[in-house]
């Protein structure tokens, strides 16, 4: 809840500026920024302390559920975003499934942190997370400087890079904070330095996240990444597989949480094939319509040359009737007929027999026009 308030502190004034042209005084903007800092510090400390009393694979999904509920509440009540029915149901789905994790997931266990972290698999996994965090974090720091100078980040890959930085930094931060009570000396110092560095990076990422990306899609992806990577971290580093109460139930609950996050997001993978089929059918219709239009253009061109296109009836092209002009105008040249958009139909016998007849060229007089219309 507090972490969402930190984002709202920056997102709300940005929303008011862009949508309602509201201008804030520099003092007011500094107050919003200060509120963001305070909320992020409190949220970071709360998450760190929570990791001391339970597995990361349990703490993080519950934290994600609270964030999604808070995100929907605050952004909805302030009018920043409107959440459709599917998003609301998906949020409730994640929240209720997260409540089951303490009853089916891993339990607390006494562990030697140094021994766990120095395992080959743990070292490889930690190195991958550190590499992704450092690389994406570098871009984030550059973008913060760019935003201060120009007011906007123009990199088209900012959303996925911010997502990687946010997720990987959060996973490492949770693991570093969990290791603090179980280490001492140089190990405690390194863990604390890592935790502070990651907290600073998360702070800058949150600033960019609040103003540069769509919260409706970024938050679900970030939540999904946090859940999956922390579950993997729990299995690889903290050996949660040894104390899982029910592997089947735990897997089902995790799948339910991911399904809820998927329901919240705007992506619909299953409809891609249907969309392609619809696009193909529409393309065929456009080609058919274009062909008919080309044929119609040929008929009109032949009419301009002096013949009446009764073939329009065979191509199923119909036009609306216009009001009849005066009798004198009916005997004028073919240009008068164009101005009034006259319709010419073939006679019933010609349509039944499938034959196509041509009317005399040149100018059409009133009697000829009357016979054709009848």
């Amino acid at each position: 809840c507090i972490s969402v308030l930190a984002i709202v502190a920056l997102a709300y004034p940005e929303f008011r500026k862009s949508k309602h042209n509201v201008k804030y005084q520099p003092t007011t903007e500094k107050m919003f920024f200060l509120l963001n800092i305070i909320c992020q510090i409190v949220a970071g400390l709360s998450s760190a302390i929570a990791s001391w009393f339970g597995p990361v694979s349990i703490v993080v999904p519950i934290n994600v559920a609270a964030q999604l509920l808070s995100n929907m509440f605050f952004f909805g009540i302030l009018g920043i975003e409107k959440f459709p029915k599917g998003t609301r149901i998906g949020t409730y789905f994640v929240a209720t499934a997260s409540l089951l994790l303490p009853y089916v997931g891993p339990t607390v266990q006494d562990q030697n942190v140094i021994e766990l972290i120095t395992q080959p698999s743990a070292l490889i996994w930690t190195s991958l997370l550190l590499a992704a965090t450092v690389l994406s974090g570098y871009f984030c720091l550059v973008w913060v400087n760019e935003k201060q100078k120009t007011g906007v980040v123009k990199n088209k890959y900012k959303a996925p890079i911010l997502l990687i930085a946010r997720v990987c930094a959060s996973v490492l931060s949770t693991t570093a904070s969990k290791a603090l009570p179980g280490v001492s000396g140089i190990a405690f110092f390194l863990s604390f330095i890592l935790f502070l560095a990651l907290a600073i990076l998360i702070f800058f990422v949150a600033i960019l996240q609040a103003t540069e990306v769509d919260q409706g899609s970024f938050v679900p992806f970030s939540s999904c990444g946090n859940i999956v990577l922390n579950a993997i971290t729990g299995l690889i580093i903290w050996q949660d597989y040894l104390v899982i109460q029910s592997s089947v139930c735990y897997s089902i609950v995790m799948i339910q949480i991911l399904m809820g996050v998927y329901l919240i997001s705007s992506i619909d993978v299953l409809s891609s094939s249907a969309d392609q089929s619809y696009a193909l059918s529409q393309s065929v219709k456009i080609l058919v319509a274009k062909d008919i239009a080309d044929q119609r253009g040929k008929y009109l061109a032949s009419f301009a040359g002096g013949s009446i296109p009764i073939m329009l009836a065979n191509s199923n092209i119909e036009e609306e009737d216009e009001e009849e002009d005066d009798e004198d105008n009916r005997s004028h040249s073919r240009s008068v007929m164009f101005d009034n958009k006259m319709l010419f139909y073939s006679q019933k016998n010609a349509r039944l027999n499938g034959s196509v007849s041509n009317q005399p060229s040149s100018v059409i007089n009133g009697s000829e026009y009357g016979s054709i219309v009848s």
Side-chain angles (χ1 to χ4, degrees):
C1 179
I2 299 177
S3 62
V4 174
L5 281 176
I7 298 175
V8 171
L10 297 180
Y12 182 68
E14 191 74 17
F15 165 76
R16 296 273 293 173
K17 287 179 184 178
S18 60
K19 298 297 183 181
H20 304 286
N21 296 323
V22 177
K23 295 182 179 180
Y24 291 98
Q25 297 295 328
T27 305
T28 306
E29 292 185 350
K30 291 180 180 178
M31 292 292 294
F32 282 117
F33 190 74
L34 179 61
L35 178 61
N36 173 270
I37 295 176
I38 294 174
C39 290
Q40 287 207 56
I41 293 175
V42 175
L45 292 175
S46 301
S47 299
I49 295 173
S51 64
W52 299 348
F53 300 97
V56 294
S57 55
I58 298 294
V59 173
V60 172
I62 294 177
N63 184 32
V64 166
Q67 287 183 9
L68 291 176
L69 284 172
S70 303
N71 182 74
M72 186 177 66
F73 175 78
F74 287 113
F75 277 80
I77 199 172
L78 293 175
I80 300 177
E81 291 186 20
K82 293 182 179 180
F83 299 93
K85 181 180 179 181
T87 301
R88 297 195 302 270
I89 293 176
T91 302
Y92 301 145
F93 201 68
V94 173
T96 53
S98 299
L99 296 176
L100 298 176
L101 284 176
Y103 303 98
V104 298
T107 59
V108 180
Q109 54 182 329
D110 295 329
Q111 297 172 310
N112 188 330
V113 177
I114 299 298
E115 182 180 346
L116 292 174
I117 294 179
T118 54
Q119 293 289 329
S121 57
L123 289 175
I124 294 174
W125 179 249
T126 304
S127 299
L128 292 175
L129 292 177
L130 275 174
T133 302
V134 171
L135 184 60
S136 59
Y138 168 76
F139 285 101
C140 293
L141 295 178
V142 172
W143 291 340
V144 169
N145 186 39
E146 179 183 350
K147 186 171 180 61
Q148 289 178 346
K149 293 181 179 179
T150 63
V152 63
V153 178
K154 298 180 180 179
N155 193 302
K156 61 180 180 179
Y157 300 110
K158 60 185 178 181
I161 293 178
L162 284 174
L163 182 65
I164 293 173
R166 177 75 180 190
V167 172
C168 293
S170 299
V171 173
L172 283 175
S173 177
T174 304
T175 296
S177 62
K178 183 176 178 58
L180 287 175
V183 295
S184 59
I186 188 64
F188 179 85
F189 177 76
L190 292 176
S191 298
F192 184 73
I193 292 299
L194 178 61
F195 175 76
L196 287 181
L198 292 170
I200 294 173
L201 176 59
I202 292 174
F203 167 73
F204 287 118
V205 172
I207 294 176
L208 296 172
Q209 172 189 342
T211 57
E212 294 293 332
V213 297
D214 178 25
Q215 301 300 315
S217 58
F218 188 90
V219 172
F221 278 117
S222 176
S223 303
C224 185
N226 264 322
I227 293 172
V228 173
L229 293 188
N230 272 287
I232 297 174
T233 302
L235 295 174
I236 295 177
I237 297 179
W238 302 105
Q239 298 181 354
D240 288 346
Y241 58 86
L242 298 175
V243 290
I244 293 179
Q245 302 175 62
S246 175
S247 300
V248 175
C249 295
Y250 178 64
S251 302
I252 292 176
V253 171
M254 293 296 290
I255 292 174
Q256 287 179 338
I257 293 176
L258 295 179
M259 289 175 61
V261 175
Y262 172 75
L263 185 60
I264 293 171
S265 68
S266 57
I267 294 180
D268 192 357
V269 178
L270 299 178
S271 67
S272 59
S273 58
D275 292 340
Q276 293 176 358
S277 300
Y278 177 76
L280 179 61
S281 65
Q282 293 301 310
S283 300
V284 172
K285 291 181 180 179
I286 291 174
L287 291 175
V288 173
K290 183 179 181 299
D291 182 66
I292 294 176
D294 291 341
Q295 293 296 327
R296 176 188 175 191
K298 293 178 182 179
Y299 297 149
L300 291 179
S302 65
F303 170 71
S307 62
I308 298 177
I310 302 180
M311 291 174 66
L312 287 174
N314 295 329
S315 62
N316 295 324
I317 297 177
E318 299 181 356
E319 296 182 357
E320 296 182 355
D321 292 328
E322 298 289 336
E323 293 184 359
E324 294 183 357
D325 210 341
D326 296 336
E327 288 296 333
D328 294 337
N329 292 331
R330 295 178 182 172
S331 61
H332 285 178
S333 66
R334 65 179 75 101
S335 62
V336 175
M337 299 181 67
F338 270 169
D339 293 336
N340 290 280
K341 298 180 181 178
M342 296 297 183
L343 292 177
F344 300 95
Y345 295 93
S346 62
Q347 295 181 355
K348 184 175 181 181
N349 292 333
R351 265 189 281 177
L352 294 175
N353 297 329
S355 61
V356 180
S357 59
N358 294 324
Q359 297 294 334
S361 59
S362 187
V363 180
I364 301 174
N365 57 35
S367 61
E368 290 175 328
Y369 168 75
S371 61
I372 292 172
V373 173
S374 61

